[in-house]
Amino acid sequence: MPIYFQIEDTTFAIPQKSLLDSEFFTSMLTSNHLGEPKEGTASNPIKLSEISKADMNGFITVLESRGWEHPASLNRKEWTSALRLSTMWSFRFAREYIVRQIENLPKLDPAWRIELAKTYDIPKWLHPMYLKLCMREESLSAEEGERLGTPTAIAICNIRERLRAHQVRVYEKYFANVHLCDHKKPNASSRALCRLCFEEAGEKVTETTVLKLITRTPQLAVPAA
């Protein structure tokens, strides 16, 4: 039996069994009554505010994804709305499905994922996405800085500056010593670049190294579970 909801000028019908994944709706449906007589029926749907029709359409697409065996096809805005509603209404399995699908999206957007992680309590995304932003070649864009917030953006930029300064020191040390080494060169030229000298010039920047910097930065702390 479906339960009917009204958003703006549109009525939506959701099977009652789908709503039982939600702590919020389970509490509502197992109470003595829904409120007014016949509330939740086609003639007297439950009115929901602060939610758009587009939000609900995306969320219903998730609920109708055949037991979540086949991924729903949503754009980034629709996935965000679906995550918001599943969190707000405490849909446990739907939320887990949405999180997995966002993780599997082909185009990775670290700043967007960080914004979602902070807003909807997904701490496992934070350190991996901070790492992506710290280690990539491109600088943070203005839009990314706005999504991240000033403290987080500054912390990431500081780590990036430390990494760049380290690389500069390595190159300076390398070029100062490259002509003096006895390593075998790829050709007879004394000016040939020597990879061994470069590796010996300083510690190689690895993901582990950068993660240590991230975990030691208070502004990038991950909330305790």
Side-chain angles (χ1 to χ4, degrees), residues 114-131:
I114 291 168
E115 182 182 36
L116 294 182
K118 290 181 176 181
T119 304
Y120 302 112
D121 189 26
I122 314 172
K124 67 176 182 176
W125 284 356
L126 291 174
H127 278 171
M129 295 302 103
Y130 290 152
L131 182 65

Side-chain angles (χ1 to χ4, degrees), residues 50-185:
E50 300 182 3
I51 300 169
S52 71
K53 291 186 291 186
D55 290 343
M56 195 63 159
N57 277 324
F59 186 65
I60 288 178
T61 298
V62 169
L63 295 181
E64 293 176 345
S65 294
R66 298 187 60 184
W68 309 311
E69 295 177 2
H70 303 287
S73 179
L74 304 179
N75 60 38
R76 193 169 76 172
K77 183 177 180 181
E78 289 169 335
W79 279 122
T80 301
S81 296
L83 179 59
R84 180 173 76 89
L85 295 184
S86 69
T87 302
M88 180 173 69
W89 289 330
S90 300
F91 276 86
R92 176 187 171 190
F93 296 111
R95 175 182 153 91
E96 290 175 355
Y97 166 81
I98 292 165
V99 168
R100 288 197 304 271
Q101 294 307 312
I102 292 175
E103 290 174 342
N104 293 330
L105 290 177
K107 186 176 180 180
L108 179 64
D109 185 337
W112 175 56
R113 291 265 293 272
I114 291 168
E115 182 182 36
L116 294 182
K118 290 181 176 181
T119 304
Y120 302 112
D121 189 26
I122 314 172
K124 67 176 182 176
W125 284 356
L126 291 174
H127 278 171
M129 295 302 103
Y130 290 152
L131 182 65
K132 294 287 185 185
L133 292 178
C134 287
M135 295 195 71
R136 75 180 192 186
E137 291 295 326
E138 299 87 355
S139 300
L140 292 181
S141 68
E143 180 183 354
E144 287 174 326
E146 186 174 345
R147 284 187 177 277
L148 296 171
T150 301
T152 299
I154 290 175
I156 288 173
C157 287
N158 286 341
I159 292 176
R160 288 173 57 86
E161 285 300 317
R162 291 183 64 177
L163 298 180
R164 300 302 177 267
H166 172 79
Q167 290 173 337
V168 168
R169 288 193 299 271
V170 169
Y171 274 103
E172 288 176 344
K173 186 175 180 181
Y174 166 65
F175 282 109
N177 297 329
V178 67
H179 300 309
L180 304 177
C181 78
D182 296 324
H183 297 140
K184 184 178 179 180
K185 303 290 176 42

